[in-house]
Amino acid sequence: MKTPAWQRKEGKSPSGGLNAKGRASAKAEGMNLKAPVKSGDNPRRASFLARMGNMPGPEYKADEPTRLLLSLKAWGASSKADAKAKAKAISARNKK
């Protein structure tokens, strides 16, 4: 049995995240994916950046950015350290 498209290369976007086929296969498995919040002070963006900024693993592998770094860049962070800093700043602004 084949794994779902969202777990294979054909369901992943080269710029990070999932493409339409990947989102469709995830939805078919009962997942409720929300659209990414790539800018602004949305709490979901802060949560994503904090979570991904603390993920283990390298940002580059064989001088190529990993999917982790591609996702961070798509959400507006240039590195894991930048993601943590942006998450903290967004959270602070949202508490006011």
Side-chain angles (χ1 to χ4, degrees), residues 28-41:
E29 289 196 350
M31 295 180 195
N32 183 19
L33 300 178
K34 294 183 180 179
V37 181
K38 297 183 178 186
S39 63
D41 285 349

Side-chain angles (χ1 to χ4, degrees), residues 45-60 65-88 90:
R45 180 171 180 240
S47 175
F48 175 85
L49 291 173
R51 189 171 62 251
M52 296 302 279
N54 287 310
M55 292 290 284
E59 293 179 8
Y60 290 93
T66 60
R67 294 199 58 80
L68 169 65
L69 185 59
L70 291 173
S71 294
L72 286 173
K73 286 183 176 183
W75 283 64
S78 59
S79 66
K80 291 198 289 186
D82 184 41
K84 291 179 203 176
K86 285 187 179 199
K88 189 174 182 179
I90 292 168

